[in-house]
Amino acid sequence: MTAWTPDQPILEIENLSISFFTRLREIPAVMDFSCTVMPGEAMGLVGESGCGKSTVALAVMRDLGVNGRIVGGTIKFKGRDLTAMSQDELRTLRGSEIAMIYQEPMASLNPAMKIGAQLAEVPMIHEGMSRKDALALARQLVADVRLPDPDRILNSYPHQLSGGQQQRIVIAMALMSKPALLILDEPTTALDVTVEAGIVDLVNDLAEKYGTSMLFISHNLGLVMEVCDRITVMYSGEAVETGNIKDVFDKMRHPYTQALFRSIPLPGADKTSRPLRAIPGNFPLPHERPPGCNFGPRCDYFQAGRCDAVDIAMAPVAGDTRHDSRCLKFDEIDWAAPLAAGEHHDRSEIGDVVLKMDDVRKYYEVAASSLFSGGDTKVVKANETLSFDAREGETLAIVGESGCGKSTFAKVLMGLETATAGKIMLFDENVQNTPIQQRNTDTVSSLQMVFQNPFDTLNPSMTVGRQIVRALEIFGVGDTDAERQQRMLELLDLVKLPREFATRMPRQLSGGQKQRVGIARAFAGNAKVVIADEPVSALDVSVQAAVTQLLMDIQREHRTTLLFISHDLSIVRYLSDRVLVMYLGHVVELGTTDQVFAPPYHPYTEALLSAVPIADTRIEKKRIVLEGDIPSAVNPPPGCPFQTRCRWKSQVAGGLCDREMPPMRKLGDGHQIKCHLSEAELAGMEPVFKIAAE
């Protein structure tokens, strides 16, 4: 065997096929998958849940479990075939030459070991390094991943760190032996967009510093564009398109890639004039794939007798380097043709105020204990002086990082918590001090919530129909069982689910279908105000587009007021009428979507916008990465809550930001900002992103 040289691929996957074996059948998870990663190159692997991205990563690590088996093809790392290696050879390779970073950082950390000891283990095991040298290297890498006070971090346990800090530690651990290949499986999914931006910068810098090649798995096309040089799009176990980022983004040559881009809210999408387009149909189950092209049943360009006649191989796209597509018709399709005009909706009329909050505060008292270093009772100020109103038929988005008080505010509104002070008027009723148990049925049914995780909100032992009927019984809808049964079927129609789903159990539904059941249940009592708490963040982009469209359709029909809690500013820009930005319990900016997404911004809004990954190669973006995490609500900073992370602080004279809480300033037309910056400085702010000249 000839020795590997740096002009050859680090990773070369050829015609890889992977199956999982159950007692009933062989389930093919990945078929005929090929992908090449050159030294120093970052390859993005994208596609919907269940398309086989993580299975490919686990196959590279040779960690497919008891049931998984590579049934065809080869995986070569530096010219050596991983599929032919013994377990001892693989053990030597894993961690030292190939490292993997998982989606959930706590799954990779030992809760009973201090961070320093966990990091030092890696070079001690793989390289036989002394403990002293390993700890010194660990300290250097903790500084490299931009964590403050490395000595304190090394002496901490995992639970003492935030999610973003834990993920940085996992990255440091993966880099301890300076691997040649780093596999990242959705490394930022559970993190805030601001933390995600910091991790993305970090990964890019470290890859450059250590010359590491990367296989970056994600369903976020914007993120892949920021991290990767090349991209491979997967659908139902197959690679359907691969190429340079710019080629695939600007000159896509597979209908599935095109459909993915049409279902994400890029700048220019508009809920009334240019709505998102969900991919029709459902993802095929692995043992029910169609003949010929897997994407055929959902494809706009499908041709019976041709696309379903034979297995389709990857073919090169003329004129581009290493750009391939698994489509028989990619030379015949007019890729530049404008999207056929979808359904055009008139902009909804915004009605009267239905919900008004005045100076609402929510404090929690935390009992003194050894956990909180003894002493007096501590007060957690979760919400501070929240004031806003919401109108009939309006979508008001509430945005901010984890820990800013968004969900606390939702709980207070729902009556799951009562406010410490202030006034909450729902229609003409003050519900501020009324817990949900004491609210009348009308109030409960008119104010409902759709939760982030559809799996946790459905009873696994009850059919879908029974769960909706139960809600109708509680809300007193219908006089007889037959009426309620009929209303339940109408609600399934409303959320565009087949009526036969009434007899199904939740486990038989996909994530997007479960979320639709949650929405049907929320609207069972003809809800007037619906709080949607991150309702699409756990869903694939195509399902996200469908569920978002569904919420908009229901809102148009029923004139519902929608309070949309999210950290995804792309979706907020697409569907909201007004935006409320929260930071550490405070409203720091409030205005129409156009006002909030264009300067002048609050410095925090500016940083949030800058952190959003946008899957458009024409967008030029100003990079503002926030250092540090949101301060603790137990011990908030004096003065402006944002002053510890603000890049504009030096512009304000006399240390005002450190001393005084800024007033809420009205900039006209309902636009408000809580900031000490002068009118001139606010007026001189530049846009965070603009479309580059062609």
Side-chain angles (χ1 to χ4, degrees):
M1 189 181 100
T2 54
W4 178 82
T5 56
D7 59 345
Q8 294 173 307
I10 279 270
L11 180 69
E12 195 171 11
I13 303 174
E14 279 189 52
N15 310 115
L16 179 68
S17 294
I18 302 165
S19 289
F20 288 90
F21 292 85
T22 67
R23 279 176 295 185
L24 287 176
R25 59 169 77 89
E26 174 188 349
I27 298 173
V30 173
M31 297 92 63
D32 185 35
F33 177 86
S34 298
C35 162
T36 305
V37 183
M38 299 301 287
E41 193 171 70
M43 168 66 84
L45 211 50
V46 300
E48 295 169 280
S49 305
C51 71
K53 307 185 297 287
S54 297
T55 306
V56 168
L58 292 170
V60 174
M61 295 297 282
R62 291 294 313 280
D63 184 22
L64 288 168
V66 182
N67 299 338
R69 206 175 307 156
I70 294 170
V71 292
T74 58
I75 306 172
K76 287 182 181 166
F77 173 74
K78 289 189 173 178
R80 297 169 65 196
D81 188 354
L82 294 175
T83 58
M85 281 189 187
S86 68
Q87 282 301 319
D88 281 346
E89 287 176 301
L90 286 167
R91 261 193 293 273
T92 309
L93 209 59
R94 286 190 206 118
S96 59
E97 290 264 359
I98 306 174
M100 186 159 174
I101 295 167
Y102 295 89
Q103 181 169 350
E104 183 44 68
M106 270 312 271
S108 312
L109 296 172
N110 183 336
M113 269 176 89
K114 287 186 175 176
I115 297 295
Q118 295 194 52
L119 289 172
E121 258 190 351
V122 180
M124 285 164 68
I125 291 169
H126 287 292
E127 298 164 38
M129 195 181 277
S130 72
R131 182 175 172 80
K132 185 183 171 190
D133 290 347
L135 281 168
L137 179 63
R139 191 187 185 288
Q140 182 207 322
L141 269 157
V142 167
D144 271 358
V145 296
R146 301 186 198 142
L147 282 169
D149 195 356
D151 294 317
R152 181 184 66 80
I153 297 277
L154 290 176
N155 208 31
S156 300
Y157 288 98
H159 71 267
Q160 294 171 305
L161 307 181
S162 70
Q165 289 174 332
Q166 288 170 1
Q167 193 61 287
R168 283 165 190 256
I169 289 298
V170 172
I171 291 171
M173 193 183 288
L175 292 168
M176 283 296 284
S177 289
K178 302 191 173 46
L181 178 67
L182 187 58
I183 302 171
L184 301 102
D185 189 359
E186 300 269 15
T188 60
T189 300
L191 305 177
D192 277 315
V193 68
T194 47
V195 181
E196 178 179 82
I199 299 276
V200 165
D201 270 17
L202 173 70
V203 165
N204 284 334
D205 290 351
L206 294 174
E208 207 169 297
K209 180 174 179 178
Y210 294 110
T212 313
S213 305
M214 288 192 288
L215 191 60
F216 188 90
I217 297 169
S218 180
H219 64 271
N220 186 329
L221 288 160
L223 207 54
V224 167
M225 193 182 96
E226 291 189 355
V227 175
C228 302
D229 311 299
R230 294 177 54 73
I231 183 172
T232 297
V233 181
M234 285 189 78
Y235 181 79
S236 190
E238 294 179 326
V240 294
E241 185 166 8
T242 184
N244 176 299
I245 285 278
K246 195 154 175 54
D247 287 344
V248 174
F249 276 52
D250 295 348
K251 295 185 287 180
M252 56 199 72
R253 288 296 178 266
H254 194 280
Y256 176 60
T257 313
Q258 185 185 54
L260 271 185
F261 274 91
R262 285 175 174 175
S263 63
I264 58 176
L266 295 172
D270 183 273
K271 64 180 177 182
T272 54
S273 58
R274 284 187 59 195
L276 299 182
R277 184 151 178 235
I279 304 173
N282 288 315
F283 201 76
L285 292 170
H287 55 282
E288 293 174 356
R289 290 188 176 107
C293 175
N294 282 345
F295 188 59
R298 305 173 75 188
C299 180
D300 290 343
Y301 311 105
F302 179 74
Q303 190 179 339
R306 182 178 171 195
C307 297
D308 53 3
V310 291
D311 285 343
I312 300 162
M314 290 287 260
V317 175
D320 292 342
T321 315
R322 293 165 66 201
H323 185 184
D324 301 314
S325 171
R326 194 184 292 273
C327 176
L328 292 174
K329 301 179 70 178
F330 72 79
D331 276 338
E332 303 160 31
I333 294 167
D334 180 2
W335 298 99
L339 182 59
E343 199 178 340
H344 186 283
H345 302 285
D346 292 328
R347 194 166 281 280
S348 301
E349 282 295 314
I350 307 294
D352 297 330
V353 171
V354 294
L355 174 72
K356 189 169 177 61
M357 293 181 85
D358 268 330
D359 262 357
V360 172
R361 299 162 196 245
K362 176 61 186 172
Y363 297 169
Y364 295 95
E365 285 199 351
V366 180
S369 69
S370 56
L371 186 66
F372 288 91
S373 67
D376 300 330
T377 303
K378 301 278 176 86
V379 175
V380 180
K381 298 181 176 182
N383 288 155
E384 280 277 28
T385 60
L386 287 183
S387 296
F388 71 91
D389 55 36
R391 297 173 176 83
E392 185 187 31
E394 176 182 52
T395 303
L396 174 68
I398 294 121
V399 300
E401 295 166 282
S402 306
C404 74
K406 304 189 299 287
S407 295
T408 301
F409 142 82
K411 285 178 189 165
V412 168
L413 209 48
M414 289 296 297
L416 300 172
E417 306 266 4
T418 53
T420 308
K423 197 159 82 169
I424 304 172
M425 297 296 292
L426 181 62
F427 301 102
D428 297 323
E429 186 184 355
N430 186 356
V431 296
Q432 174 249 330
N433 284 322
T434 318
I436 196 160
Q437 303 90 315
Q438 292 167 24
R439 292 185 180 182
N440 62 44
T441 307
D442 279 353
T443 306
V444 173
S445 64
S446 63
L447 177 64
Q448 283 292 300
M449 194 158 176
V450 178
F451 295 90
Q452 177 171 0
N453 196 339
F455 310 94
D456 296 341
T457 55
L458 298 179
N459 184 332
S461 59
M462 222 185 247
T463 64
V464 164
R466 181 72 198 109
Q467 300 199 42
I468 297 173
V469 168
R470 181 92 186 89
L472 292 168
E473 288 169 357
I474 290 167
F475 296 147
V477 176
D479 296 326
T480 63
D481 284 347
E483 279 182 27
R484 282 190 281 270
Q485 196 69 18
Q486 181 57 33
R487 176 69 184 139
M488 178 268 292
L489 294 172
E490 287 166 7
L491 282 163
L492 287 178
D493 295 343
L494 179 72
V495 296
K496 299 181 174 64
L497 281 177
R499 288 187 167 197
E500 56 268 25
F501 273 40
T503 56
R504 290 199 184 179
M505 303 300 279
R507 66 171 185 275
Q508 296 171 290
L509 273 56
S510 70
Q513 289 165 341
K514 284 180 186 160
Q515 193 59 291
R516 284 164 187 259
V517 175
I519 293 169
R521 205 171 51 178
F523 281 92
N526 294 321
K528 304 286 189 298
V529 180
V530 171
I531 303 168
D533 189 0
E534 303 266 15
V536 293
S537 62
L539 307 175
D540 278 316
V541 287
S542 60
V543 183
Q544 204 175 68
V547 171
T548 306
Q549 211 52 52
L550 171 68
L551 282 169
M552 294 295 97
D553 290 345
I554 295 173
Q555 182 183 46
R556 270 187 278 270
E557 191 179 330
H558 294 271
R559 312 253 323 120
T560 318
T561 303
L562 192 62
L563 300 181
F564 192 87
I565 298 174
S566 182
H567 66 268
D568 181 348
L569 286 170
S570 303
I571 207 95
V572 163
R573 179 180 198 148
Y574 169 69
L575 61 78
S576 63
D577 301 301
R578 285 193 303 147
V579 181
L580 181 151
V581 182
M582 285 185 74
Y583 185 82
L584 198 58
H586 292 263
V587 177
V588 294
E589 184 163 8
L590 175 62
T592 66
T593 308
D594 289 343
Q595 287 167 344
V596 172
F597 277 77
Y601 317 104
H602 186 280
Y604 177 56
T605 311
E606 180 189 46
L608 279 182
L609 289 173
S610 159
V612 178
I614 301 170
D616 191 332
T617 55
R618 299 168 304 145
I619 296 286
E620 283 181 0
K621 201 165 69 166
K622 191 189 291 181
R623 200 84 177 128
I624 304 161
V625 174
L626 287 179
E627 299 298 328
D629 296 310
I630 286 193
S632 164
V634 176
N635 187 20
C640 173
F642 187 57
Q643 51 108 341
T644 55
R645 301 165 81 194
C646 182
R647 75 189 192 101
W648 290 87
K649 183 177 163 183
S650 58
Q651 307 288 323
V652 180
L656 198 60
C657 300
D658 295 325
R659 293 193 320 272
E660 284 184 31
M661 175 67 68
M664 192 57 129
R665 290 159 61 186
K666 293 182 167 59
L667 301 182
D669 290 339
H671 190 192
Q672 303 174 35
I673 290 183
K674 188 178 273 192
C675 185
H676 283 304
L677 284 174
S678 70
E679 300 278 343
E681 282 157 340
L682 285 170
M685 278 188 159
E686 294 175 356
V688 169
F689 46 76
K690 58 178 188 279
I691 295 180
E694 290 296 330

